Amino acid sequence: MKAIIQIPCLNEEETLPTTLADLPTEIDGIDRIETLIIDDGSTDRTVEGAIECGVDHIVKLPNNRGLATGFQAGLDACLKLGADIIVNTDADNQYSGHDIPKLVRPVLDGEAEMVVGDRDVAAIDHFSPSKKALQKFGSWVVRQLSDTEITDATSGFRAYSREAALQLLVVDNFTYTLESLIQAGKGRVAVGEVPISTNEKLRESRLFGSTSAYVRRNGLAILRIYTRYEPLKVFSALAAVAGVLALLAWMPFLLDWIVNGDRSGHLQSLLLGAVLFIVAIQLFALGVIGDLLAGQRVMTQRVFERVRRIELQLGVEPSHALEPGRRADPEPGKAAPADLPTPAGRD
């Protein structure tokens, strides 16, 4: 049984050594533990520091592509490196590495395929009251949308079984936490959670500059992701709202006609109602089209899963992966250092 702990990184030279030092070296039921960092276009010594700390694998993206892309790249690399369990944690040492054995236990026991660490947000001192309330409300919304019972939806401290990781395809370009939960719920993946502890804050969050930015980006992400998975429900609800507004716009004309028998006048109300009724029909049509596209998305996801399995059978190497002690290709016209050969599989 092999577990790989992956850590997405962006300029984490100062905090990464602390995070790596906190990781467990032994877990009951796991024979081998390896570490993998995803360097998302860092401009500091993140990679060199990781090598000095003895990480087993490095995935180096050529430029900054965002947390979701880095997470997906790390997941792909972990699968191709033979991981039976994949643990995801943050490089800022927010999550306690001592809780990893607790996190993977439900996967080892066959009780869950995906496990999320519950930080008990209400007890985190450096979270403001407004952020705690928003976290609680956002997690409640995600629970309703995903049909899961996860208390802390934005927690990035997670464990995945090999089968769950094979099925996971994150396309959101901002964060993976919400989409992976909704996708898991819709895909009937067994999702569990365990209580975890957090460490003292070493730096400010780089995902959100303010509470308003947090609300705006997460709110839009939830709406976009849910629309992607349940377009007919979303557009049918919008069509129903437009239909009700159309009926309300027609009410003055209808009441005058029914009560007084007068069908003259109320031209503005009739026009407004007609426009709203046409909007309702168009929204419903968009829902039907979206539902057809959602079916295609499911088929695409299944094809992607099969491609992954074929790649694993063929032994395809991870994309952008470097062995520790190696660097990315040099700039054109420059030779690679003699003591650091170019990555395997490249000329």
Side-chain angles (χ1 to χ4, degrees), residues 18 32 67 77 110 125 127 131 141 164 172 183 232 281 293 347:
T18 304
R32 183 175 176 83
L67 181 59
D125 294 333
F127 277 17
K131 186 172 182 178
V141 171
D172 189 83
Q183 186 179 124
L232 187 57
I281 294 175
L293 292 175
D347 295 334

Side-chain angles (χ1 to χ4, degrees), residues 131 174-175 204-211 213-215 217-218:
K131 186 172 182 178
F174 174 51
T175 181
E204 295 296 332
S205 172
R206 292 173 181 162
L207 279 179
F208 309 104
S210 63
T211 301
Y214 172 85
V215 174
R217 299 196 71 171
N218 261 350

Side-chain angles (χ1 to χ4, degrees), residues 68-86:
T69 301
F71 169 80
Q72 190 71 52
L75 210 65
D76 178 74
C78 289
L79 287 169
K80 291 175 179 176
L81 290 167
D84 298 293
I85 296 177
I86 301 170

Side-chain angles (χ1 to χ4, degrees), residues 87-106:
V87 175
N88 188 86
T89 188
D90 286 355
D92 61 0
N93 200 40
Q94 175 186 177
Y95 308 108
S96 174
H98 300 291
D99 285 326
I100 290 179
K102 185 195 302 184
L103 189 72
V104 303
R105 181 50 51 190

Side-chain angles (χ1 to χ4, degrees), residues 14 188 195 204 214 331 335:
E14 296 182 2
R188 295 295 184 264
E204 295 296 332
Y214 172 85
E331 296 178 9

Side-chain angles (χ1 to χ4, degrees), residues 2-5 24-27 30-35 56:
K2 179 178 179 179
I4 296 182
I5 303 171
T25 56
E26 293 183 359
I27 298 176
I30 293 179
D31 303 304
R32 183 175 176 83
I33 302 172
E34 297 178 358
T35 53
D56 298 287

Side-chain angles (χ1 to χ4, degrees), residues 215-254:
V215 174
R216 183 175 64 255
R217 299 196 71 171
N218 261 350
L220 289 174
I222 291 172
L223 178 61
R224 185 171 59 250
I225 293 166
Y226 187 68
T227 302
R228 187 180 301 137
Y229 286 89
E230 296 287 355
L232 187 57
K233 287 184 179 180
V234 172
F235 284 102
S236 294
L238 293 174
V241 171
V244 170
L245 292 176
L247 183 61
L248 291 175
W250 283 332
M251 284 304 294
F253 169 79
L254 294 174

